[in-house]
Amino acid sequence: MEGATLSDANLTNSYFSSSFIGVNGFGSPAEPKYSMMQVQEGRCRSVTVNVQLNELKMNILNSPTSSLFSDFGALSISQRRKVSVQTLGHSIKAPNPAASEFIPKGAPRMANMAQSTVQAFPSPLFAHPGLSSSTAAALAPGMSLSAGSSPLHSPKITPHTSPAPRRRSHTPNPANYMVPTTASDQGAHIIQKETVGGTTYFYTDNTPAPMAGMVFPTYHIYPPTAPHVAYMQPKANAPSFFMADELRQELINRHLITMAQIDHSENPDVPSEVDSYHSLFPLEPLPPPNRMQKTSNFSYITSCYKAVNSKDDLPYCLRRIHGFRLVNTKCMMLVDMWKKVQHSNTVTLREVFTTKAFGDHSLVFSYDFHAGAETMFSRHFNDPAADSYFTKRKWGQHEPPPPRQHAGLLPESLIWAYIVQLSSALRTIHTAGLACRVMDPSKILITGKTRLRVNCVGVFDVLTFDNSQTNHLALMPQYQQADLVSLGKVVLALACNSLAGIQRENLQKAMELVSINYSSDLKNLILYLLTEQSRLRSVNDIMPMIGARFYTQLDASQMRNDVIEEDLAKEVQNGRLFRLLAKLGTINERPEFQKDPTWSETGDRYLLKLFRDHLFHQVTEAGTPWIDLSHIVSCLNKLDAGVPEKISLVSRDEKSVLVVTYSDLKRCFDSTFQELQAAASGSL
């Protein structure tokens, strides 16, 4: 709409109509008609001025509403320019990129709404430097933390006086959805004027008024568990303030493995630094001499290490190929293709390099590190007794294999979950013009309960690279067909719960076992993958066999996401209370401040000291310690909100009792900590 003008009727029905203005990005039914003119609540509309200054000022300030509409009809609406009127020089100027972003002050109704919202979402305690205005400047061009709230060229600094939490939040205010929009309300918006730094801005206050009787909490609380999560909880005694014990233990184990280090005095063979990686930690011991040796896949001795990259300080997994000399770098073309493959069921390859740090010519593949992952072989095929069904037991026509519940076989739902993930990974890899070539139980990682990731991708492409070939992708279709056969072998091994089932002499017994214990769809899928076909097959061909089981896996994934989000919501509140306690700890019992040794024992600090005793040092009538976590959480939330509730603070000698409100304590708390911050920054 650059350069286009609007008629009076269109301007009246669009620019001043609350029905077309989207609330936090969600428009109303009238939105498609003016899709290029959408504005969000309380934001300056981008306008290019095509009229003279004196006429504009006179019409806006002195004309009635009808005249105001006709004068604004001469304005052309633009998505990238603000109304910028130089009141001193009487000239129109372009926006100044170096100036601070302007967010106008609202009408009294808007101010009240902003005030209630700010109380509900106060400024973060111990604000992280990465969340300040400097972070927005580091984003991509045209992007900011308040994306959508200002033009693309707008500076990324917001005045501290603006209601930033409400303006920047992409989560709609629930009060706005409950305000009915009627025809009488559409013309009730008022043109506001604001002058900042000699520049006058005109904007429309379209903030809806909250309905009468609506009350939102002005403080942080622990909401109850969502019903769709509460009724799926298998344990009725799940903790209410913290995440589930199982999830916590899993995360702790991941952190432990990520931070693990090696004693170099006892392991002199492990170098302290390899290329740009340091702090190497072996992730696997030397493979035992069994049928699944690590060297059987690549025909080279391999080892795996966790290491930290000095460039970004992130942990990575290094797969070392012992004694391999890279003679040609043309294979890096395939490495670059693998770097672009990003999928939730593959381990991403980051870089490949050669090194002599291990005392020989070694080739190192750097992958993303997934702490706590184990291979499918170690999880499902590490039991020698499982092979007895094929090596010792002789089946005949009158002696069928035992049923699944007695044979220790895997549930079919778990096998289909693996099939969906592995086929999804193959689909992405084949679409990129590559082949997996490592579809093997020893190269498939399992994290958590059922999450799969295909590991060591791209290794075969480098080790078997042929410099004599002109088209290095010519054999990819053949390798992709081999991937489907390998997928069938993995599925068959899972169905038999034994690697012996994929051996040629046991294939018939394995299929009989599948036919008796599993569905025909699983049997047909295995036969399709293992049977030679005259035409080129695709991984998409097995989608009809998966069928509606795909939706089952999608539903399970989303339910798992709901549970984790519920646990995350608890930790959000816990993090806020921790920051509150950290601030309180910097004030209480401070030995000296500004050369005053009694600073923490006088004035407002004394009240905070007594409040600390009220929190943690309660005793029963018998004089024993009274420990109640709900009491601590409740009092901290009331302090953070500053509620008017009164409490009695008793001195340690029990000679003085002070009756104060939480709002008084919050005022003392904020002023005292601001004093400490000012001294720390050198302002005092």
Side-chain angles (χ1 to χ4, degrees), residues 423-437:
S423 60
S424 178
L426 284 183
R427 180 179 178 273
T428 300
I429 293 173
H430 292 179
T431 304
L434 298 168
C436 177
R437 305 179 68 181

Side-chain angles (χ1 to χ4, degrees), residues 151-454:
L152 296 179
H153 70 274
S154 177
K156 308 303 185 293
I157 301 176
T158 302
H160 66 279
T161 56
S162 64
R166 182 172 62 86
R167 296 181 183 277
R168 291 186 176 182
S169 175
H170 292 276
T171 303
N173 191 336
N176 297 341
Y177 285 111
M178 304 181 68
V179 180
T181 302
T182 60
S184 60
D185 296 334
Q186 296 180 0
H189 300 290
I190 304 173
I191 298 297
Q192 302 289 341
K193 182 181 73 170
E194 187 77 18
T195 302
V196 176
T199 302
T200 301
Y201 296 87
F202 299 92
Y203 62 95
T204 303
D205 177 21
N206 58 339
T207 305
M211 295 180 60
M214 294 178 57
V215 179
F216 294 97
T218 59
Y219 51 88
H220 295 280
I221 57 175
Y222 282 87
T225 303
H228 68 281
V229 178
Y231 283 101
M232 75 171 67
Q233 291 282 356
K235 298 179 180 179
N237 57 348
S240 58
F241 290 136
F242 308 103
M243 68 174 64
D245 295 337
E246 182 181 4
L247 179 59
R248 179 187 297 104
Q249 188 62 41
E250 181 180 349
L251 295 177
I252 290 176
N253 291 338
R254 292 182 184 180
H255 296 166
L256 181 65
I257 298 174
T258 303
M259 302 302 295
Q261 296 184 358
I262 194 173
D263 188 357
H264 288 280
S265 61
E266 299 181 1
N267 299 272
D269 296 335
V270 180
S272 59
E273 186 174 354
V274 177
D275 198 66
S276 60
Y277 297 87
H278 62 89
S279 303
L280 272 69
F281 182 84
L283 294 176
E284 56 188 17
L286 292 178
N290 55 18
R291 60 185 181 274
M292 291 296 295
Q293 291 185 7
K294 300 299 180 181
T295 56
S296 64
N297 296 100
F298 304 123
S299 300
Y300 287 91
I301 301 176
T302 64
S303 56
C304 189
Y305 302 90
K306 175 189 70 72
V308 179
N309 193 339
S310 58
K311 296 179 181 179
D312 55 13
D313 292 331
L314 297 178
Y316 292 91
C317 176
L318 302 183
R319 172 69 62 175
R320 174 198 172 197
I321 310 297
H322 296 239
F324 183 85
R325 185 188 297 268
L326 188 64
V327 296
N328 198 312
T329 58
K330 292 183 179 180
C331 62
M332 292 302 166
M333 173 195 67
L334 297 175
V335 174
D336 293 336
M337 295 178 63
W338 276 111
K339 290 180 182 179
K340 299 177 182 179
V341 176
Q342 302 284 338
H343 193 266
S344 59
N345 297 118
T346 60
V347 182
T348 306
L349 176 64
R350 295 301 176 182
E351 65 173 328
V352 179
F353 60 91
T354 58
T355 182
K356 295 182 180 179
F358 295 94
D360 64 348
H361 292 275
S362 297
L363 184 65
V364 179
F365 293 80
S366 176
Y367 296 93
D368 288 347
F369 176 64
H370 298 279
E374 59 178 328
T375 63
M376 180 182 288
F377 170 76
S378 63
R379 163 104 36 121
H380 296 297
F381 305 113
N382 205 19
D383 184 12
D387 296 339
S388 61
Y389 295 105
F390 297 95
T391 58
K392 298 179 181 179
R393 190 178 182 90
K394 301 299 182 181
W395 298 341
Q397 295 182 354
H398 304 287
E399 190 179 1
R404 181 175 60 190
Q405 59 269 24
H406 301 298
L409 301 181
L410 299 178
E412 185 170 353
S413 59
L414 178 62
I415 298 178
W416 282 112
Y418 288 168
I419 293 174
V420 170
Q421 297 179 69
L422 293 177
S423 60
S424 178
L426 284 183
R427 180 179 178 273
T428 300
I429 293 173
H430 292 179
T431 304
L434 298 168
C436 177
R437 305 179 68 181
V438 286
M439 187 62 65
D440 186 271
S442 64
K443 297 297 178 288
I444 298 175
L445 299 182
I446 303 180
T447 54
K449 294 183 178 180
T450 60
R451 179 68 177 275
L452 297 186
R453 290 183 175 90
V454 181

Side-chain angles (χ1 to χ4, degrees), residues 76-148:
S76 62
I77 309 300
S78 171
Q79 286 286 346
R80 297 181 177 271
R81 300 183 184 275
K82 288 182 178 180
V83 174
S84 179
V85 183
Q86 187 67 28
T87 56
L88 297 180
H90 299 282
S91 61
I92 306 301
K93 70 174 184 178
N96 182 12
S100 300
E101 178 181 350
F102 169 70
I103 296 181
K105 299 178 181 178
R109 180 181 61 189
M110 178 179 178
N112 295 335
M113 190 70 180
Q115 182 179 1
S116 63
T117 308
V118 171
Q119 291 177 358
F121 302 97
S123 58
L125 310 178
F126 283 140
H128 195 280
L131 299 179
S132 61
S133 58
S134 61
T135 304
L139 299 176
M143 299 296 293
S144 67
L145 292 178
S146 55

